[in-house]
Amino acid sequence: LFPEIVSSPSVLRAHSVSLLKYNSSHPRTDVHVDNGILAMTLAMTPKDDYVGGGTFFEHMGDDVIPMDVGHGTFRPGSVRHGGHKVTKGTRYILGAFLLIEDRVEHVRRLKNRGSELRRIPDLEGAAKHFEWALALNPKCTTCLKDWAEILLTQKRYDEAEAKLRRVLELLEEKDSDALFSLGVILSEAGKDDESIEAYTKSVKLNAEDAELCYNLGIKLGAKGDVKAEMAMYARATDADPSFGGAWLNWGTALAESGNLEDAEVMFLKGQECPDVSAKAMMNLGLVYTKKAEFSAAGGNLESAKDFAMKAGEMIDTAKPLLDEILAKGSSSDDDKKYAAQFTPLRLTCHRVLGSIYAGMKDFSSAEDEFKRASERFPQIPGVWEMLARVLEIQGKTDEATEARTRRQALM
C-alpha cells in the first residue's frame, strides 16, 4: 500500500498505539484526523459482541466499513473518520499512528508547531508556520483550516472565508469541520443565508456534531423557521445530552409558541446541566408564573397558588448562582441579561401570588406577600401600591395611606 510514500514495511514506525473501548457510556469517537502520516484501526471484538459501532470515513458517507475481529483499515492520517455509537455490548479496537523512518515530514512538523503556537497564543507565529507548511504543500487542508481560524479571531473574515473555500474545493465539499467553520465565519460576517447553507451541508455529513446542530438551530430560528430550529436542538441534545444551551433554546421556542408543558420538560433538562442551570431555573420561573396566571384565570386558585410559589422558589434559587457567575468576572451579555431579569421576574411572582391570595379571600396572606415584596424591593413604586390596595380592602386606611406616601416619594 502507498508505495510512493512507504519504500518498505521495515521503515514503518508506530508513533502511538492505543486500545480503545466503546460501550453505552463511551459510545463513539467524533469525526477527526490522526496525527501521523499513516494510521490504522484493527477490530479486536467479534461484531456479534456489540450493537451499533463501526468505523466510517466522512467523504464516503456514514456507511460503516465492515470490520469483524481481526479486520482493519490502513489509511493516510489526514483522512477524516469517526465511529458510530455502540448502543449495546462492548467494542474494542486497536488504533495506531504510524511514522516513516526514512522521511522527514516537514509539513506535519510545521503544522504541529503552528498548533502549539496557537495555544500560547502566538497567532502571528502560528500563521507563519502554516504559511511555510503550505509553501511546501499547498494542499495541506489542516493548515488552511487552522490558518482560517486565526483569521476569524482577527476578524479578517474575507481572508478566512477564502482559505476555507480552498479546503472545500480540495475535498469536494466533504469536510464537515470546514463547512462548520465556514458557517461560523459567514455568520460573523453577517452573511446569514450563506451561513445556513454551509451549516446545512455540514449537518448532512455529520449530524452528530452537537454544536453544529445548535448553531444551525439558532440561525433557522432567527429566520422564523421554528419547526426546523427545534429539530436541530433535538439533534444537538441527542448527540450530547449535556448541551445545556440547546435545551434552553428548545424550551424557549416551545414556550414562545404557547407549549408550556413541553417547554417545562426542556428547561428541567437544562437545569441538570451545570453551565446553564441558573438560566434554566429562571426560565422555569417564567413558565410556572404563566401556568399560575392561566390556572387563576380558569378559576383553579389552589393550582395557581402552587405554581406561583414554585415560580418564586425557582427564581430565588437561581439568584445566588447568577451572582456567583458575575462575581467570577463573566463579561457575557447573556449572563448579565439573566441577572438583570431577577428583579422584574421576582416582583411578578410576588404580584401574582398576592393576587391569587386576594382572589381566595385570604387577604392576610396577600398582605404578607406584598409586604415581603416591599421589604425586598422598597425602591419600586408599584410594590407600595399593591400593598396599599390590600390594606384598604382590610380597612387598614392609615397603613394604606403610609404605603401610598412611600410610593409618592419614589415618583
Side-chain angles (χ1 to χ4, degrees), residues 11-27:
V11 302
L12 290 174
R13 297 290 182 269
H15 170 51
S16 66
V17 180
S18 302
L19 182 65
L20 305 173
K21 176 182 178 180
Y22 300 99
N23 53 29
S24 58
S25 60
H26 177 61

Side-chain angles (χ1 to χ4, degrees), residues 193-213:
D193 290 339
E194 292 178 62
S195 174
I196 289 173
E197 182 183 2
Y199 282 143
T200 302
K201 288 180 179 178
S202 185
V203 166
K204 287 179 180 177
L205 289 172
N206 183 14
E208 296 292 325
D209 188 323
E211 187 177 1
L212 163 62
C213 295

